[in-house]
Every structure is written in C-alpha cells, then in structure tokens.
Amino acid sequence: MISKEIKDMFNQPTKNLMIAASEVAICHEEDSLLDAVLILSSSGYQTIPVLDEQNHVRGLISISHIVSSFDKLSLFDEDKLSIIKVKEVMKQVVPILFDNYNLEDVLRLLIDNNFVCITHKNGYFLGIIPRKIVLERFNHLAHNISDIYKLEKK
C-alpha cells in the first residue's frame, strides 16, 4: 500500500494525471488502416486508442500491429491500407481503469503499457494516463521528499 505522504507528494502540483480525451490522438474502429497510419505518423505516438462511434474504448492500434497483421502488407501500399478497417487489426486487450482509479492500479498497468485509458463506468473514453507523466511525478518526489519529510531508517 502506498503511504498517504507519498500519495500527497505525488499529487503535487495537481492530482490530475490524465490527459483529456480531447487532447489524445485516437482513431475509430471503422477508420481505414491508411487513416490510422496517417494519425500515428502525425501524432508521433507509437500506439493510440481505438474508439467506437459512442466514444467507448475498443482497442489499441500501432504501426507494428498494422505491419505484422497481414503477410506482405506494406505501409506504402495505400490501396490495401485504404480498404482494411482498423477493427480488423487492432489489439483488443486494453489497459483500462474507471475514473475513480487509485494510484496502485495505475502503476501496476503502466509496468507493461505506455499509457492507461480512463473511462466512465459506462465505457465512455475520458483520456489517458501516460507512463511519462507518472515517471515525471516520481522523479520529482524522489528528488524532493527529504526537503519535506525527515527520513529515518527504522
């Protein structure tokens, strides 16, 4: 269990770790792979969430998913990429937490994922918590904890 003191320091300057959905690069399950390649290329992200028409998280897509999903599929074959849907290629196992998440669950999921998707209980996509933000917070905590607390070995 993470101590209250660590949580308090971790949550400075703000408790909100999440990047809002409106600021996250996403694609839709009905988009073509060509659309996904363009979104991934322009966003600079390796992996992005895939949403349905109701903005529920349905999967993840990455360039590596696209390339490895079909034999002899090239990122330069725009004709093929334009007819295959994202839902045919996306990874369906997604790290998701509800908006009442706790820090321990976030940390557990970030061990194997670059980000965690945050949703309402009904599945509506709210945003992501990226590993980068969590590591920045822990870096700050590690460098400043002794300025706030007197640490003594038990």
Side-chain angles (χ1 to χ4, degrees):
M1 183 172 190
I2 298 174
S3 73
K4 179 188 178 317
E5 294 81 9
I6 296 293
K7 284 181 190 175
D8 288 347
M9 271 195 81
F10 183 81
N11 287 328
Q12 293 174 5
T14 174
K15 190 173 181 175
N16 191 7
L17 299 171
M18 186 179 72
I19 297 175
S22 61
E23 299 175 32
V24 176
I26 56 99
C27 66
H28 291 92
E29 61 184 352
E30 294 298 325
D31 288 347
S32 72
L33 290 185
L34 181 59
D35 294 330
V37 168
L38 293 172
I39 293 166
L40 283 159
S41 299
S42 65
S43 72
Y45 294 113
Q46 295 178 12
T47 304
I48 58 174
V50 177
L51 307 180
D52 64 14
E53 290 179 4
Q54 291 79 38
N55 284 327
H56 296 111
V57 179
R58 292 293 178 229
L60 301 172
I61 192 75
S62 69
I63 295 291
S64 61
H65 287 120
I66 294 169
V67 172
S68 64
S69 294
F70 297 98
D71 288 338
K72 299 180 183 177
L73 180 64
S74 167
L75 293 177
F76 302 106
D77 189 346
E78 291 183 13
D79 292 335
K80 260 190 183 176
L81 290 173
S82 64
I83 59 172
I84 301 170
K85 302 283 185 196
V86 167
K87 66 182 176 184
E88 297 174 54
V89 175
M90 69 184 184
K91 178 181 173 188
Q92 293 181 338
V93 177
V94 181
I96 295 178
L97 292 172
F98 296 130
D99 54 349
N100 63 346
Y101 62 86
N102 67 53
L103 182 57
E104 290 182 54
D105 289 336
V106 172
L107 295 175
R108 182 179 43 78
L109 288 172
L110 287 176
I111 290 170
D112 295 319
N113 300 283
N114 289 330
F115 60 87
V116 176
C117 293
I118 305 299
T119 69
H120 279 297
K121 289 207 186 314
N122 67 6
Y124 187 83
F125 181 62
L126 297 173
I128 63 170
I129 297 176
R131 184 186 295 158
K132 179 183 177 186
I133 288 177
V134 171
L135 288 174
E136 286 171 348
R137 295 279 181 100
F138 270 108
N139 184 48
H140 177 266
L141 187 149
H143 285 91
N144 295 291
I145 193 165
S146 62
D147 293 342
I148 297 172
Y149 296 100
K150 181 179 178 184
L151 303 175
E152 295 180 8
K153 190 173 183 177
K154 286 186 177 183

